[in-house]
Amino acid sequence: MENTIYQSMKAAIRLLDNQGIIANNLANVSTNGFKETFNLTIKDEDINNLHKIRTQKYYNFSEGILTNTQRKLDLIVKDNGWLAIKDINGKEAYTKNGHLKTNSKGQLTIQNYKVIGNQGYIKIPNNINIKILSNGKIQKIDEQENKDFDKEIGSLKLVRFSKNDLIQKDNGLFYLKNNKLNQYSEALHDDTVRVQSEVLEASNVNPTKNMIDMISNARQFEMNMKMISMYDQNTERANQLFNINN
């Protein structure tokens, strides 16, 4: 009986973990470039042995819906390229969110994280006309005597990794896995990565599917809790009978 309770509790813990992932997915339905996360349950050869069941986190890297915004600081990073940013701890992280803004100092940011350029942070002067080229270079456009003159004011740091090299953390940003840090001691700009400006990629989270999964997880969790309660009651009654017989 104790083994049954243990198995039910292990299943309940897995369900709680899944519920947290689903809740995070739903919370980021409107986050540009967010990639859906899910747990895959893996069973060893003995599928009836719950002690050998484990879960592994996977990411849905498929592209979200693209929207033309006609905003100069919006962009998408094509294929498996990524934008590089600095998180609140000063660590380099990667994102597909191309909704760029400027902070009070004129520095480019994404979700309040500073965007990394090839030569440090990128500052955009106020009240200028800019364009972002497909290679990530940012140019200032001056119009003089009905002619346009372009001047480069910065260049985005664009990187490319294998999808299996990345792990997503609670802040929604992707990082290199620990076992890959030595291989990529410092991520370098990849000249082959391309962007497209004035377009945004939406989150690829399917809200309907995630809501169904959340309800299913909640029901399974409730079932496991009832099983634990039932076995606990049976144990108590068995002890009472044992005491009576003695």
Side-chain angles (χ1 to χ4, degrees):
M1 187 172 293
E2 291 181 356
N3 183 53
T4 303
I5 293 176
Y6 176 77
Q7 292 178 0
S8 296
M9 184 57 69
K10 291 285 286 184
I13 291 172
R14 285 195 299 273
L15 289 167
L16 279 177
D17 186 36
N18 286 339
Q19 205 74 329
I21 290 174
I22 295 170
N24 187 55
N25 286 338
L26 291 172
N28 285 281
V29 167
S30 59
T31 301
N32 294 310
F34 183 83
K35 299 304 178 185
E36 183 181 39
T37 308
F38 61 94
N39 267 348
L40 179 65
T41 301
I42 301 174
K43 299 181 181 180
D44 291 338
E45 292 182 3
D46 184 5
I47 61 174
N48 294 318
N49 190 339
L50 293 182
H51 294 280
K52 294 185 178 180
I53 293 178
R54 57 191 175 88
T55 58
Q56 186 166 336
K57 187 176 290 186
Y58 284 88
Y59 309 105
N60 175 11
F61 284 108
S62 64
E63 190 175 66
I65 296 175
L66 302 182
T67 304
N68 290 313
T69 65
Q70 297 183 341
R71 181 175 175 269
K72 300 295 184 182
L73 287 179
D74 285 340
L75 60 85
I76 60 169
V77 189
K78 296 185 177 181
D79 302 322
N80 60 339
W82 298 82
L83 288 163
I85 61 177
K86 281 290 180 72
D87 66 12
I88 58 174
N89 298 314
K91 189 174 181 180
E92 186 166 298
Y94 311 102
T95 182
K96 284 282 192 178
N97 186 346
H99 188 53
L100 281 66
K101 295 182 178 181
T102 55
N103 60 17
S104 59
K105 297 180 180 179
Q107 296 171 323
L108 275 185
T109 64
I110 295 175
Q111 293 179 284
N112 295 321
Y113 301 112
K114 292 180 182 178
V115 176
I116 300 174
N118 279 334
Q119 297 179 346
Y121 300 126
I122 303 172
K123 188 173 182 180
I124 305 294
N126 291 327
N127 302 318
I128 66 168
N129 189 18
I130 69 167
K131 66 178 179 180
I132 301 178
L133 305 183
S134 62
N135 59 5
K137 292 183 178 180
I138 303 174
Q139 292 185 341
K140 172 186 176 183
I141 304 173
D142 288 327
E143 185 176 336
Q144 300 176 8
E145 297 179 354
N146 296 323
K147 292 183 179 181
D148 291 339
F149 295 88
D150 301 336
K151 179 182 178 182
E152 184 177 328
I153 57 176
S155 180
L156 298 170
K157 182 177 181 180
L158 304 172
V159 295
R160 188 194 303 275
F161 302 111
S162 168
K163 295 172 182 177
N164 293 329
D165 293 345
L166 297 170
I167 184 171
Q168 190 182 49
K169 295 191 177 180
D170 292 339
N171 57 12
L173 303 175
F174 281 87
Y175 296 80
L176 281 172
K177 293 180 179 178
N178 289 333
N179 62 344
K180 297 295 180 181
L181 290 177
N182 292 332
Q183 180 180 349
Y184 302 102
S185 56
E186 181 179 350
L188 300 177
H189 173 78
D190 189 327
D191 290 329
T192 66
V193 177
R194 290 292 177 262
V195 303
Q196 182 178 345
S197 63
E198 301 186 30
V199 182
L200 274 181
E201 177 187 350
S203 166
N204 67 357
V205 173
N206 184 329
T208 303
K209 176 183 178 299
N210 277 268
M211 282 298 298
I212 293 173
D213 288 344
M214 176 172 279
I215 294 171
S216 175
N217 271 272
R219 289 176 177 172
Q220 291 181 58
F221 180 82
E222 183 180 357
M223 180 183 69
N224 279 279
M225 290 298 97
K226 286 182 178 179
M227 289 178 64
I228 293 172
S229 177
M230 180 185 68
Y231 289 129
D232 187 51
Q233 292 174 6
N234 288 342
T235 300
E236 184 178 350
R237 289 170 184 169
N239 289 334
Q240 290 174 354
L241 289 173
F242 179 78
N243 291 332
I244 293 173
N245 291 332
N246 288 324

